[in-house]
Amino acid sequence: MAFVLSDNAKAFINTAFLLLLCFFFTSHIRSPTTVIHLASPQAPKGAGCIGLHKLKGPHSKCLYLKTHSPCVFQGYVNYLHVFYCLCGRYAPVGYALLALWLLVLFYLLGNTASQYFCSSVESLSKVLNLSPTIAGVTLLSLGNGSPDVFASIVSFRSGSGEVGLSSVLGGAFFVSCVVVGIINVCATSSSPHAVRIDRSSFVRDVCFFIIVLSSLLAILIVGRITIWGAMAFTSLYFVYVSIVSATHFCREKYEDLVVPILDHEELGESVSVSKEASPASGEEETSSSSYLRLKVTSVARYLRWIFYIVDMPLYLPRRLTIPNVSEESWSRPFAVASATLAPILVATLWNSKRGVLGSKEGLTIYLYASLVGFVFGLIAFHTTMKSCPPKKFLFPWLAGGFLMSVLWTYIIAEELVGLLVSLGYIFGISPAILGLTVLAWGNSIGDLIANVAMATNGGQDGAQIAISGCYAGPIFNTLAGLGLSLVVSAWAVHPAPFVIPAAPALFEILGFMIGGLLWALVVLPRKEMKLDRILGFGLLAIYFCFLSLRLSQSLGLVQL
């Protein structure tokens, strides 16, 4: 028994160390604390770039941008300069470029989280001997919610707290209403039998989510928070983890919940392979079909090379700096390169944020980072084999992959927030509205696809996992994303309280979200915990009512 407790304590210490190191990166490698700079230091804060909207024509706006301090400080690209100065009179070209880059950033954010971050997180949970439930509400939740979490932290640290609040709450509202609603509609249509959800788990998650949102509502009403209040709000997640852990240890029947789904997927893959093999064998019987198949294969190979070349600029920088020791992606040259170049990337980002790129201090930091990278590269070269990834001392590799994927996710999230703020200036739309819609939808589309597919194809167990994920994920995003953002922001102004940029839309979304949770909490038990279309359509109606209200307010049709 003592040995088991020792392993649990070791796993807890290692996990806490990684999360604290992640917090150190996101709190020290950051943008300046203000988004809007003014030509006059006496001007009130928040009034920056107000003259940009009064000007007409791209030439005058370009001159304004050149003669005034930058409006947007997030990211590394001045999108307003690109749109008004480089594109100039060709506004459609500017719109197309920004829209295309927005899609690229969403792809990079999701791909980095899924291909690198989640892979490191899943492997870490195995190395640390975390139970599936504990891993699901800690590291795996961080993997799934990392885009929201880091976008929120970036927004608060760069002065655009409304974007962070709107994106996290908008994503939570989308998942808890739209995704749950679609699951209820699709699961009842695809399954001939009624799909039941576990009552205790559902009531636990929904009630705790309501408590979290009520606490956040109280914080927004007060309008300011101290470092101790922010830490207390974030610590609610540890309370949730404790409750889930107690439920898990009391009810061991949920330990192997995912096994039937994995078996089902493997069976489906074997069937699909057999189906693909049978027509191939039939096509080889005739020369014409073989010739056609050869042409299709050559075209597919050609297109694959085109996509590979296009994807290379997006893939190579991350591959060269994020250690990846998974079986399917193992490459010794890339492993050595990532161990060597990762410290240099950290030094580059550190110097750029501190404004010491060309200074003597910056060169000293580069020298130390290069020396550390050289040592890490030599160790990686002498301790790895070409044929397979390392089997021993996996924790340093996985921890390095975890931290570097965190760093890349943070960089991409910062660029994405900067683009959204710039689009707010271009279209005259509040960045908070863009965070509530575009950023929230982009970060939640993966949850929609994954959870709906699991609910419709995984049977009753799959529906249970999907519904639980639709509430556990937003709880994590709200407490970790907003909680850590408030902790970092309150720490920066300590001992003074941090003033929270609360817009009226935030109170509206909290009200609608709590209403959706109460609707689910009332309807589902009355339906004997069976997924039902009435519940689904009701949740979708609540979400679209909120969107209609926000659209009416934006167009000036409704004033509240």
Side-chain angles (χ1 to χ4, degrees), residues 319-320 322-325 329-341 376-377 380-381 384-385 390 397:
R319 191 69 174 92
L320 288 173
I322 303 177
N324 191 340
V325 291
S329 302
W330 170 249
S331 171
R332 189 187 186 191
F334 278 122
V336 175
S338 63
T340 305
L341 298 178
F376 283 173
F381 181 79
T384 57
M385 295 185 296
W397 284 101

Side-chain angles (χ1 to χ4, degrees), residues 39 108 154 190 206 211 228 300 338 387:
L108 287 175
V154 167
S190 61
V206 173
I211 293 173
W228 306 113
S338 63
S387 57

